[in-house]
Amino acid sequence: MRRLFPVTDQTAPDSVPAPQAQSEGRSGAPAHLVDREWTLDELAEAYAYPAPLTTPAASATSGAPHRWLRANMVSTLDGAAQHDGRSQAISSDADMRIFGTLRGLADVVIVGAETVRLEGYRPARARDAFAARRAADGQAPAPVIAVVSASLNLDFSLPLFTSPLVPTLVLTGAAASPDRVRDAEKAGARVIVAGEGPGVEPDRAVTALADMGLVRQLTEGGPRLLGQFAAAGVLDELCLTVAPLLTVGSAQRITGGPVLPDPERFALAAVLEEAGFLFTRYRRI
C-alpha cells in the first residue's frame, strides 16, 4: 500500500483524527506518509469513528450520536460492485488492508444473507494490531457478525454460526419461520427481531444493535441491504473504493432497490490513493 495520499477532509469533526500532519509532500500528504506503506495503526487513526458515541437517552439531551453506521464497498469505474458475482476480483491489497482496518474498529459487521452465501462469510477474527485499541474502547476482541435475513435460508452448519469468537447475530422479522429461528438458535446464533413483518426494518435494526452496546456499526452490503439503509436515512458514512477497472456487463451497483424520490447528498470527508485505486470517505449531510 505505497503512496496513499490524503487529499482532503471537508467534514470530519475534531474527534475523528486524520494522520498526524508534519511537513507536507505531494497532494497535501504529510511527508512522513508519502511513498511508504501506512501502518495499520495510522489507518485506524484515519478511519476512527466519531467520539463520543453515547446511549440513546444521553443522545437526546447532548446531541451526540448514539450510533454510527458506515458502509464499506468497492466499485469499478463503470459502476460494477462485483465481477462474476464476487467483489474480490475488483479489490486490491490496499483495499483489503482498509477492509481489515474497518472491521478492526467496528463493534458489529452487518451483512445481508445473499452476501453471506456468495462471499463465503466466516467469523471475524481477533487481530493483534487492534487488540489494545479495542480493549481501551471496551470492545470485544473481534466484531460481531450480524446477518440480515427474512427467510433465514442460511446454512447454520457453517463456522460463521457454529464457531465464531463472539456469537453471530441474525436479524429478521416477526413473521420469520419459528422452525428456522430454532435452527439458528440451536447452531449458537442469537436471533433479533427487527421488523413487524417478514423482513427487517433498517431503523429498527441499527437501533436494536445500538441498544446492545454495538454502536460502531459497519455494513459490507450487499447492494440490496445497503440500498435499504440508504433509503431509510440511517447510513451515516460511505467508505467507497473506486477501482481503476472497467468490467462492462450488467453487474450490480453498490446499492439496489427503488429509486429515492430525491437524491441524498453526501459530503466528501477524505480521499486516499494507491496504484490508481481511490479510497474515498463520504458523510451524510
Side-chain angles (χ1 to χ4, degrees):
M1 197 166 57
R2 301 176 305 278
R3 298 180 59 195
L4 273 176
F5 299 155
V7 177
T8 184
D9 194 335
Q10 299 177 359
T11 66
D14 294 340
S15 57
V16 184
Q20 292 296 312
Q22 295 180 6
S23 60
E24 292 191 343
R26 288 174 293 168
S27 300
H32 71 299
L33 295 179
V34 173
D35 288 330
R36 73 164 176 83
E37 184 176 277
W38 285 23
T39 67
L40 291 178
D41 193 55
E42 287 164 341
L43 283 175
E45 288 296 311
Y47 282 93
Y49 278 82
L53 292 173
T54 185
T55 64
S59 175
T61 56
S62 69
H66 70 273
R67 56 107 189 126
W68 189 266
L69 175 64
R70 67 167 37 141
N72 182 32
M73 301 292 283
V74 59
S75 171
T76 63
L77 295 175
D78 52 349
Q82 53 189 229
H83 183 63
D84 198 23
R86 303 281 302 275
S87 61
Q88 185 175 2
I90 61 174
S91 183
S92 69
D93 289 344
D95 184 46
M96 293 310 298
R97 280 173 64 83
I98 291 176
F99 173 92
T101 298
L102 295 180
R103 279 197 165 198
L105 298 173
D107 294 325
V108 59
V109 178
I110 313 168
V111 62
E114 184 65 13
T115 298
V116 168
R117 290 187 285 264
L118 289 174
E119 302 281 355
Y121 260 61
R122 299 184 63 83
R125 59 189 178 92
R127 300 183 60 186
D128 291 343
F130 302 104
R133 184 183 296 270
R134 294 186 69 87
D137 288 338
Q139 295 175 286
V144 176
I145 303 293
V147 183
V148 176
S149 177
S151 67
L152 300 184
N153 181 21
L154 298 160
D155 184 353
F156 294 117
S157 69
L158 294 175
L160 177 62
F161 300 103
T162 61
S163 57
L165 184 62
V166 287
T168 294
L169 303 177
V170 176
L171 299 170
T172 193
S177 163
D179 290 341
R180 296 303 288 166
V181 170
R182 284 192 291 270
D183 290 342
E185 293 175 336
K186 185 177 179 179
R190 179 176 176 183
V191 178
I192 307 296
V193 174
E196 295 300 324
V200 169
E201 298 166 19
D203 55 341
R204 286 189 57 174
V206 295
T207 298
L209 294 171
D211 288 345
M212 297 171 63
L214 305 175
V215 296
R216 301 172 187 89
Q217 300 173 357
L218 169 68
T219 181
E220 296 168 351
R224 182 170 175 271
L225 179 63
L226 181 54
Q228 291 172 343
F229 283 138
V234 298
L235 181 68
D236 299 296
E237 181 178 328
L238 172 63
C239 298
L240 176 64
T241 296
V242 180
L245 303 170
L246 295 173
T247 62
V248 194
S250 57
Q252 284 185 299
R253 296 159 49 191
I254 65 167
T255 59
V259 176
L260 294 178
D262 296 298
E264 186 168 14
R265 182 68 182 268
F266 279 64
L268 181 66
V271 182
L272 306 176
E273 182 272 345
E274 194 263 351
F277 283 78
L278 297 180
F279 306 97
T280 70
R281 191 155 52 93
Y282 289 87
R283 290 185 170 174
R284 182 161 55 97
I285 297 174

